Amino acid sequence: MTETPALSVRNLRVEFPTRRGTLAAVDDVSFDIAPGEVLGIVGESGAGKSLTGTAIIGLLEPPGRVAGGEIRLNGQRIDNLSREAMRPIRGKRIGMVFQDPLTSLNPLYRVGEQIIETIRTHLPMTEREARARAIELLIEVGIQGAERRIDSYPHEFSGGMRQRVVLALALCAEPELIIADEPTTALDVSIQAQIIQLLKRLCRERGTAVMLITHDMGVIAETANRVAVMYAGRIAEIGPVREVIQSAHHPYTRGLMGAIPSIEGTGDRLTQIPGSMPRLTAIPKGCAFNPRCPHAFDRCRVERPDLMPVDHSLAACWLVAPVSAEPPR
Amino acid sequence: MLAFTIRRIFEAAIVMLTVALMAFVLFRFVGDPVNQMVGQDTTLAEREELRERLGLNDPVIVQFGRFIWNAARYDFGISYQVKRPVTSLIAERFPATFELAVTAALFAVLLGIPMGVYTGIHRDSWLSKLFLSVSLIGISLPTFLIGILLIYVFAVQLGVLPSFGRGEVIRIGGWTTGFLTASGLKALILPAITLGLFQMTLVTRLVRSQMLEVLRTDYIKFARARGLSDRAVNFGHALKNTLIPVITIIGLQLGAIIAFAIITETVFQWPGMGLMFIQAVQNADIPVMSAYLMLVAFLFVLINLIVDLLYVWIDPRVRIYGREA
Ligand SMILES: Nc1ncnc2c1ncn2[C@@H]1O[C@H](COP(=O)(O)OP(=O)(O)O)[C@@H](O)[C@H]1O
Ligand code: SF4
Ligand SMILES: [Mg+2]
């Protein structure tokens, strides 16, 4: 791919200084997202997915901080920008969608006020022009009677409708990248698919890159072009969606795939992998997954695997190490 | 909305009736007012005649009915002590208390809110810590001590501000105001700070804790993610969401300010209703005492009513609830 990626993350490290030493909640994470591409980020709760997204948009809450690496938006480095220089990028060049539409909107302002405020923060428009654009956006995200509904308060919308409003807000300045952090987790199952389809369609039409964080493999299978699987702050595997789903290289990914709810809807999420992800204070030596891995062998317990190319993917597992690689010491 | 308002007004009326009953019972039975009004050498017949004239010989229920009826028409009878209508005494004293209370409330709000916002946003700055330590003093020192300390520093030691009275006042119709003269304004400073310091502290701490809570919410995080300026986020989105509890407290405290003006007015010999009440207590001047009680209760109820209606105006969710209720 010679095209400049919409988003390029290199060796990102997010740290929390604590009394018992510094915790690396995101450790050496690298990935690219091309314009118009959807990259799914999956992994158990606490894997560092949200922190990765938060670090990209520059909203880490102190004492959390980006301790290393580079983040580039269409080639421009943004991880070292000042607060003031970063602000016009948020909402304008990077849009964000959070998990819970019920709490994402300020309850005291009409949805129109919130959209118009955002538009006018980023684009040179009059109140009237911004309002017209807000109505267009609401129509586009599928709000019935948008001319009227623009003057409603958030609590007058259902959860699904509110998430549509949140999408309209994220898209209102035509960003190059959308970071959607579990955009459907809080929604009724019957509405989840609609919202995901909408997100996918809107971004495809605009050529917007999407970083779609979820722990729902079903959503990934339907939406993403590529997937990154995170485990304990690191990427365990990253590759084209079909390959990762059908023939995962990393034992953790295979465990996750086993956890996709079956058609009868009986599969419990993630129960196929025994044990739980280690806490940041107790990440095992070697491969962080080794205590839970059915294939773990001696090398896994002493030496940490880096991402290694395999087929069209990269996987951080000694099982995929080329046979010619250096033997275990 | 209309039903909501009517219901609130109805509730307010019940509260006022209860207070009236208490004022009536409390004061009707604290002692024989006739003893206070007459000299040693008054004859029994003269006393009896006075009792009859004051209506003290009527059945209690008739007396209470008359009290309510008169109070509703803003008539609290004649002061036993100065033998003039209580309402005209109040009319003379009210402007002093009102101007003092308003100044104290403005001081509390106009300083308390910005300090609360500042300490909420800049949690760890040294200025925040300074504000909070100072506010601890405001909460823990009793009013009269603060008043005396201020008098000592600014009136006795520095000699820059007067220690008692209202200064020069200007009469406008039935109202006397100290807002229009330099000496009137100067005289207001110390009493207003004394009276408002506790409330300012309260507002600061309340706004701070509300800000801390609101700043953690998703919609604030989302507002930042939308690229809004710090000012828009902090003042447009966060502050507005802190206002509901803040308005409640300020409203209730406004009543408290008027009630606690008694102490401040005594310390500063401020010629307001509080001082009038203290003098009435010393003289067992029952009409003045019950009128004061009723008036303060009325102000409390009125403020509460306004606070309730303000909610509806600020929070659209209450608006819906109010419509359905
Ligand atoms: N303020 C904080 N202090 C210390 N650790 C934190 C803090 N915030 C998040 N973490 C840790 O970072 C890890 C990753 O969190 P997060 O990115 O939210 O995970 P998820 O993949 O579920 O979105 C978690 O293990 C969490 O314990
Ligand atoms: S490196 Fe070893 S322990 Fe880690 S996933 Fe691969 S086989 Fe399992
Ligand atoms: Mg998360």
Side-chain angles (χ1 to χ4, degrees):
Chain A
M1 209 165 24
T2 49
E3 189 184 12
T4 315
L7 176 71
S8 172
V9 175
R10 285 289 166 275
N11 312 106
L12 179 67
R13 183 178 172 87
V14 174
E15 287 182 351
F16 286 94
T18 69
R19 246 172 265 147
R20 277 172 293 152
T22 302
L23 301 180
V26 175
D27 187 9
D28 201 18
V29 164
S30 302
F31 58 84
D32 286 346
I33 310 180
E37 187 185 37
V38 179
L39 175 72
I41 310 266
V42 292
E44 281 164 281
S45 181
K49 308 182 295 292
S50 297
L51 282 178
T52 304
T54 315
I56 291 166
I57 203 169
L59 283 177
L60 281 178
E61 301 270 344
R65 63 186 193 100
V66 173
E70 273 185 29
I71 301 167
R72 285 176 192 274
L73 186 63
N74 276 311
Q76 184 200 346
R77 202 163 159 192
I78 58 168
D79 57 290
N80 54 1
L81 294 180
S82 69
R83 248 176 96 71
E84 261 320 289
M86 191 62 202
R87 196 179 59 72
I89 291 177
R90 287 198 281 271
K92 169 101 176 79
R93 298 183 57 195
I94 307 178
M96 188 126 191
V97 179
F98 289 116
Q99 176 170 347
D100 192 351
L102 300 182
T103 57
S104 292
L105 298 168
N106 189 330
L108 301 188
Y109 291 100
R110 299 167 200 278
V111 299
E113 290 173 314
Q114 303 189 46
I115 301 175
I116 291 166
E117 177 186 32
T118 314
I119 293 174
R120 297 197 63 197
T121 299
H122 297 298
L123 305 172
M125 283 196 184
T126 63
E127 177 81 18
R128 180 187 293 263
E129 290 163 345
R131 187 180 164 88
R133 183 178 167 84
I135 292 174
E136 275 170 35
L137 277 164
L138 288 177
I139 292 171
E140 214 179 334
V141 297
I143 304 276
Q144 303 281 317
E147 285 93 349
R148 223 170 5 87
R149 296 294 267 155
I150 190 170
D151 292 318
S152 301
Y153 287 94
H155 70 265
E156 296 172 296
F157 290 87
S158 68
M161 286 296 149
R162 270 191 243 189
Q163 198 64 311
R164 287 171 191 261
V165 173
V166 170
L167 275 181
L169 270 163
L171 287 166
C172 72
E174 304 280 335
E176 297 144 49
L177 170 70
I178 292 267
I179 300 174
D181 191 348
E182 315 219 15
T184 58
T185 308
L187 295 178
D188 202 78
V189 184
S190 58
I191 300 162
Q192 290 184 353
Q194 291 173 19
I195 296 292
I196 288 292
Q197 285 310 318
L198 179 67
L199 174 71
K200 194 174 162 181
R201 178 172 61 79
L202 292 172
C203 292
R204 197 178 44 222
E205 285 168 7
R206 291 168 161 75
T208 313
V210 181
M211 175 173 161
L212 177 62
I213 299 171
T214 176
H215 50 242
D216 187 337
M217 270 297 181
V219 166
I220 293 288
E222 263 177 52
T223 320
N225 304 103
R226 286 185 307 129
V227 201
V229 179
M230 284 188 75
Y231 188 79
R234 297 174 67 92
I235 292 183
E237 177 161 14
I238 179 168
V241 70
R242 179 159 302 159
E243 187 173 309
V244 171
I245 286 181
Q246 289 174 357
S247 50
H249 304 285
H250 197 289
Y252 177 62
T253 315
R254 286 203 289 271
L256 279 182
M257 294 313 138
I260 297 182
S262 61
I263 297 176
E264 298 85 47
T266 46
D268 295 46
R269 271 188 194 151
L270 307 184
T271 47
Q272 275 75 1
I273 314 172
S276 58
M277 202 173 60
R279 275 188 290 171
L280 294 179
T281 46
I283 293 182
K285 195 167 146 55
C287 173
F289 188 56
N290 83 65
R292 300 169 76 185
C293 181
H295 309 289
F297 54 101
D298 292 345
R299 187 179 191 180
C300 307
R301 296 185 190 95
V302 286
E303 208 179 339
R304 188 163 69 185
D306 282 324
L307 284 171
M308 290 167 267
V310 46
D311 293 347
H312 300 92
S313 304
L314 297 170
C317 172
W318 291 126
L319 292 178
V320 306
V323 194
S324 60
E326 50 178 319
R329 274 156 286 185
Chain B
M1 180 68 202
L2 186 65
F4 177 81
T5 311
I6 290 174
R7 202 182 59 202
R8 282 286 182 275
I9 290 177
F10 183 70
E11 287 168 5
I14 301 228
V15 171
M16 282 311 296
L17 268 180
T18 317
V19 171
L21 182 65
M22 276 160 48
F24 177 77
V25 170
L26 210 67
F27 295 131
R28 242 355 82 121
F29 296 104
V30 286
D32 188 350
V34 173
N35 284 337
Q36 297 293 324
M37 300 172 72
V38 297
Q40 290 291 324
D41 50 353
T42 318
T43 66
L44 269 178
E46 278 170 328
R47 285 173 187 253
E48 195 46 43
E49 199 251 344
L50 187 59
R51 295 192 74 82
E52 191 61 40
R53 194 149 46 82
L54 290 173
L56 295 175
N57 289 334
D58 295 336
V60 171
I61 190 76
V62 173
Q63 290 191 38
F64 182 56
R66 191 159 52 218
F67 178 75
I68 297 285
W69 171 243
N70 287 336
R73 290 180 309 152
Y74 193 53
D75 174 2
F76 295 97
I78 310 284
S79 159
Y80 298 164
Q81 186 66 23
V82 289
K83 312 283 191 296
R84 288 175 46 211
V86 173
T87 46
S88 71
L89 288 181
I90 288 176
E92 278 167 20
R93 298 301 196 104
F94 183 73
T97 296
F98 182 80
E99 290 189 350
L100 175 60
V102 165
T103 312
L106 284 179
F107 163 72
V109 169
L110 295 185
L111 238 69
I113 290 184
M115 274 168 61
V117 171
Y118 183 87
T119 52
I121 297 172
H122 306 281
R123 248 179 306 181
D124 299 320
S125 84
W126 63 268
L127 196 55
S128 296
K129 286 173 184 151
L130 182 74
F131 282 162
L132 290 174
S133 329
V134 170
S135 78
L136 211 60
I137 299 174
I139 276 202
S140 43
L141 282 188
T143 308
F144 73 90
L145 201 61
I146 291 170
I148 290 169
L149 279 176
L150 288 176
I151 289 178
Y152 179 75
V153 174
F154 292 98
V156 179
Q157 291 296 319
L158 301 175
V160 287
L161 293 169
S163 64
F164 68 92
R166 274 187 95 185
E168 205 178 315
V169 294
I170 290 180
R171 176 170 290 279
I172 303 171
W175 191 273
T176 56
T177 180
F179 285 156
L180 297 176
T181 66
S183 81
L185 288 174
K186 271 169 90 176
L188 260 171
I189 296 176
L190 293 185
I193 292 177
T194 306
L195 184 55
L197 192 64
F198 178 81
Q199 275 73 21
M200 185 199 77
T201 308
L202 210 65
V203 169
T204 302
R205 298 192 151 243
L206 183 74
V207 170
R208 179 187 121 90
S209 68
Q210 290 294 321
M211 281 296 280
L212 288 179
E213 200 166 300
V214 169
L215 286 174
R216 273 199 300 267
T217 59
D218 281 359
Y219 57 81
I220 292 301
K221 203 170 160 203
F222 189 51
R224 290 196 202 289
R226 285 191 274 143
L228 304 185
S229 66
D230 285 345
R231 216 186 64 211
V233 172
N234 290 334
F235 293 92
H237 287 267
L239 184 59
K240 189 169 179 185
N241 274 281
T242 68
L243 283 186
I244 287 199
V246 170
I247 284 181
T248 312
I249 294 295
I250 290 173
L252 295 177
Q253 290 299 319
L254 212 60
I257 283 180
I258 290 173
F260 279 107
I262 291 180
I263 298 171
T264 306
E265 289 185 5
T266 311
V267 172
F268 288 92
Q269 288 297 300
W270 189 262
M273 295 195 305
L275 202 58
M276 173 189 77
F277 178 73
I278 293 289
Q279 287 158 357
V281 169
Q282 282 160 0
N283 299 316
D285 195 342
I286 290 164
V288 174
M289 283 155 74
S290 49
Y292 177 82
L293 195 68
M294 293 287 290
L295 212 66
V296 168
F298 179 72
L299 287 172
F300 260 93
V301 167
L302 187 70
I303 289 163
N304 260 325
L305 192 66
I306 294 172
V307 167
D308 277 349
L309 297 180
L310 272 182
Y311 278 3
V312 179
W313 179 59
I314 289 186
D315 193 338
R317 290 165 299 181
V318 184
R319 217 172 292 165
I320 295 292
Y321 160 78
R323 207 184 294 145
E324 285 164 356

